[in-house]
C-alpha cells in the first residue's frame, strides 16, 4: 500500500497540535503580563485627582441697587443655612458707597444693604447706556466641608414689602474663581492622608510612583506627597508644572505652581 498520504495526515495533525499548544501557552501567560502605562496618562491621573480634591471656589455676585426709599427698607442677600454649602466673606465695590449713602452689614450667611440714617432714595451709580450696571459685588466661598455637588443656594429679597418702587435691585450672573486650598493640601503635608492611600484611591498602578510639590513662587517649595524613596538615577522621570493661584479663606489669591513628577 502507498503510505505517502498517511505521512501528510501525520504532518497536519502535528502542526495543528503545535499551534494549539502555543495558543494555550499565550492564553495562560497573558494575565500575568504587567501592563504598560503611558506616562502622560499617569500624569493626567495625578493632576485630575489632586486638583479635584485640593482646590476650591469663590463666587462673585454682582448687585445693582436701583432704589432703596429709606432706612426702613433693606436689600438682603442670604445663604440658606440648611441648604447652601457656601458662606459670605465680604463684598467689593468700584463705587464710593459712602458718597452714595449706602450702608452694608454682612455675616457669613447674610449681606444687608440699606440707606444711612437721614438719607432717602439711595442707589448705586448708573453709567450711561447700562441701567443695570452692578455697584456692589457680594463675595462667597465654599465652606470647609462640602458635598460633591457644592450646593449654592442664594436668596435675594427686600426686607420690607411696600410700594413697587420702594425697594428695587438687580442680581447679575455669578463669576467663579478657582484656586488651591492650603488647608486641604496641608492634610497631605501632615500625612493625615498617606501616599499609599492616595495611590489606591486614585487607581494609580502599583508598579509606578509619583510626587507632588507646591511652589509658592517665593523660594518656598513644599512636598505635598511622595513615596519614602526618590527615583533611581536610571528611572525616566516625567514632569508637569501647573500654574494655579492659592485661594485663601478671605478671598485673597497668591500665585503658586504645582509640580507633578511621575516615574
Amino acid at each position: 500500500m502507498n503510505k505517502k498520504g498517511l505521512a501528510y495526515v501525520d504532518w497536519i495533525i502535528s502542526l495543528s497540535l503545535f499551534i494549539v499548544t502555543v495558543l494555550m501557552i499565550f492564553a495562560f501567560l497573558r494575565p500575568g503580563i504587567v501592563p504598560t502605562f503611558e506616562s502622560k496618562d499617569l500624569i493626567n491621573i495625578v493632576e485630575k485627582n489632586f486638583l479635584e480634591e485640593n482646590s476650591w471656589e469663590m463666587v462673585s455676585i454682582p448687585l445693582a441697587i436701583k432704589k432703596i426709599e429709606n432706612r426702613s427698607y433693606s436689600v438682603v442677600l442670604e445663604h440658606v443655612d440648611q441648604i447652601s454649602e457656601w458662606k459670605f466673606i465680604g463684598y467689593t465695590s468700584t463705587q464710593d458707597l459712602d458718597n452714595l449713602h449706602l450702608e452694608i452689614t454682612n455675616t457669613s450667611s447674610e449681606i444687608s444693604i440699606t440707606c444711612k440714617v437721614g438719607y432717602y432714595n439711595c442707589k448705586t451709580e448708573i453709567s450711561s447706556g447700562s441701567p443695570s450696571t452692578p455697584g456692589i459685588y457680594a463675595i462667597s466661598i465654599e465652606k470647609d466641608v462640602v458635598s460633591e455637588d457644592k450646593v449654592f443656594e442664594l436668596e435675594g429679597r427686600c426686607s420690607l414689602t411696600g410700594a413697587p418702587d420702594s425697594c428695587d435691585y438687580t442680581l447679575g450672573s455669578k463669576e467663579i474663581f478657582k484656586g488651591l486650598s492650603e488647608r486641604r493640601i496641608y492634610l497631605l503635608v501632615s500625612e493625615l492622608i498617606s501616599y499609599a492611600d492616595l495611590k489606591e484611591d486614585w487607581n494609580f498602578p502599583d508598579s509606578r510612583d509619583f510626587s507632588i510639590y507646591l511652589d509658592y513662587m517665593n523660594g518656598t517649595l513644599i512636598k505635598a506627597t511622595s513615596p519614602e524613596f526618590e527615583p533611581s538615577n536610571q528611572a525616566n522621570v516625567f514632569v508637569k508644572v501647573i500654574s494655579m493661584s492659592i485661594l485663601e479663606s478671605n478671598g485673597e489669591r497668591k500665585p503658586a505652581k504645582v509640580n507633578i513628577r511621575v516615574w
Side-chain angles (χ1 to χ4, degrees):
M1 292 180 63
N2 185 2
K3 297 183 180 180
K4 189 174 182 180
L6 292 176
Y8 283 118
V9 172
D10 290 341
W11 180 82
I12 292 171
I13 293 173
S14 300
L15 181 61
S16 300
L17 288 173
F18 173 75
I19 293 173
V20 170
T21 302
V22 170
L23 291 176
M24 290 179 65
I25 291 173
F26 276 111
F28 280 109
L29 292 181
R30 185 172 181 79
I33 296 174
V34 177
T36 58
F37 301 97
E38 291 288 341
S39 295
K40 64 178 181 179
D41 294 332
L42 296 180
I43 286 180
N44 289 339
I45 290 174
V46 177
E47 176 184 356
K48 176 179 179 295
N49 284 281
F50 177 78
L51 294 183
E52 281 183 357
E53 296 180 7
N54 297 283
S55 59
W56 60 344
E57 295 175 343
M58 179 178 71
V59 169
S60 174
I61 306 106
L63 171 66
I65 303 296
K66 295 183 178 180
K67 183 180 178 181
I68 299 176
E69 186 171 313
N70 54 52
R71 194 170 175 80
S72 299
Y73 300 89
S74 299
V75 173
V76 178
L77 301 183
E78 183 180 14
H79 281 304
V80 183
D81 282 337
Q82 302 303 317
I83 302 174
S84 183
E85 297 181 304
W86 296 71
K87 60 184 179 181
F88 290 114
I89 55 174
Y91 62 89
T92 62
S93 179
T94 57
Q95 301 181 12
D96 190 337
L97 300 180
D98 284 336
N99 286 339
L100 296 175
H101 314 304
L102 287 167
E103 183 175 282
I104 303 179
T105 58
N106 73 279
T107 64
S108 61
S109 61
E110 181 181 288
I111 289 181
S112 178
I113 307 160
T114 190
C115 288
K116 290 183 177 180
V117 175
Y119 290 94
Y120 304 88
N121 299 327
C122 304
K123 59 184 179 179
T124 53
E125 292 177 336
I126 298 173
S127 60
S128 60
S130 182
S132 60
T133 299
I136 300 168
Y137 294 84
I139 310 298
S140 292
I141 200 166
E142 291 177 33
K143 292 181 179 178
D144 289 339
V145 179
V146 296
S147 67
E148 186 176 346
D149 295 331
K150 299 180 181 179
V151 178
F152 186 88
E153 189 71 23
L154 179 71
E155 178 183 291
R157 58 184 171 85
C158 288
S159 62
L160 184 66
T161 302
D165 61 349
S166 297
C167 177
D168 194 10
Y169 67 95
T170 299
L171 277 175
S173 300
K174 61 185 180 182
E175 285 185 88
I176 299 176
F177 304 92
K178 191 171 185 177
L180 297 169
S181 168
E182 279 185 310
R183 188 189 69 84
R184 298 177 188 178
I185 290 174
Y186 273 102
L187 293 178
L188 298 178
V189 175
S190 60
E191 296 185 349
L192 292 178
I193 303 174
S194 71
Y195 172 76
D197 289 339
L198 284 183
K199 285 190 74 171
E200 182 177 352
D201 292 343
W202 296 354
N203 293 319
F204 196 86
D206 290 336
S207 60
R208 305 293 294 272
D209 287 287
F210 66 87
S211 65
I212 304 172
Y213 288 82
L214 180 63
D215 185 351
Y216 278 86
M217 309 288 289
N218 61 0
T220 302
L221 188 68
I222 292 179
K223 180 182 73 175
T225 189
S226 74
E228 295 179 355
F229 53 86
E230 290 294 320
S232 66
N233 294 333
Q234 292 76 32
N236 292 322
V237 181
F238 299 87
V239 179
K240 183 171 184 179
V241 178
I242 306 163
S243 294
M244 190 171 185
S245 296
I246 293 171
L247 179 59
E248 298 186 340
S249 57
N250 61 2
E252 293 183 2
R253 287 173 283 177
K254 54 187 179 184
K257 289 183 179 180
V258 178
N259 185 297
I260 298 173
R261 299 191 301 163
V262 167
W263 64 92

